[in-house]
Amino acid sequence: MTDMTENRGGESETPAVRRSPLAKRSGGDPGSRGRTTIADGVVEKIAGLAARDVDGVHAMGSGISRTFGAVRDRVPGGAKSVSRGVKAEVGEVQAALDLEIVVEYGVSIADVARDVRENVITAVERMTGLEVVEVNIAVSDVKLPDEEEEEPERRIQ
């Protein structure tokens, strides 16, 4: 049995049908009320992870940023920077990205760049709803098979 109440006009209505004056005025879908902003750093992290997932990408960033990053990664409590080598400019509905990558020796740079663009655009647009208008890629180095990783020397204590 439904609990019925009586309104001023003598008509019965269920509590679910009653509306407050505020609900009548605001209207529209509750999900569209308000504004969502996405920080540049959020887009940079998404793009950095998506770029690293592409076969042929050895690392992100220039040699010096990778060196500083390796030092930072070794500091207790320091977090690995997934946004290294990524710069984003985020507007209200669009984003543009600049990526700096190091590719593995022997891969087609054009193919890797295309795959990075596709993966980054797909990930950023899917997760943020922003339109990615451009992804500029700078290949700063090629990782040779016999090269050692660039890591700072450990100090003996």
Side-chain angles (χ1 to χ4, degrees):
M1 183 167 156
T2 306
D3 181 28
M4 304 292 272
T5 59
E6 196 168 301
N7 64 16
R8 288 186 212 161
E11 300 169 359
S12 296
E13 66 177 325
T14 62
V17 175
R18 263 186 270 136
R19 293 189 177 151
S20 72
L22 289 176
K24 290 179 183 177
R25 282 188 225 143
S26 58
D29 175 31
S32 66
R33 296 180 200 163
R35 183 181 193 164
T36 302
T37 58
I38 300 171
D40 293 0
V42 172
V43 174
E44 289 169 356
K45 284 182 179 182
I46 294 167
L49 289 171
R52 283 175 175 78
D53 282 345
V54 174
D55 288 336
V57 174
H58 174 73
M60 301 287 296
S62 66
I64 208 157
S65 71
R66 291 194 321 271
T67 301
F68 285 129
V71 170
R72 188 177 49 245
D73 294 347
R74 291 180 185 270
V75 174
K80 188 170 185 171
S81 176
V82 295
S83 60
R84 184 182 311 137
V86 182
K87 178 67 180 136
E89 292 181 25
V90 180
E92 289 187 24
V93 295
Q94 295 180 327
L97 294 134
D98 293 324
L99 281 70
E100 189 171 0
I101 65 173
V102 176
V103 298
E104 299 282 346
Y105 176 79
V107 300
S108 165
I109 293 174
D111 290 347
V112 170
R114 183 194 65 240
D115 293 346
V116 166
R117 271 189 192 91
E118 289 175 2
N119 212 34
V120 166
I121 290 170
T122 299
V124 170
E125 288 185 346
R126 179 180 54 83
M127 292 183 69
T128 66
L130 296 167
E131 176 192 7
V132 178
V133 293
E134 67 180 5
V135 176
N136 300 311
I137 298 174
V139 179
S140 62
D141 203 358
V142 174
K143 168 66 170 79
L144 300 176
D146 57 348
E147 276 183 332
E148 291 184 26
E149 291 292 317
E150 286 184 9
E151 290 184 355
E153 294 181 25
R154 294 184 183 190
R155 295 184 67 173
I156 300 173
Q157 296 185 6

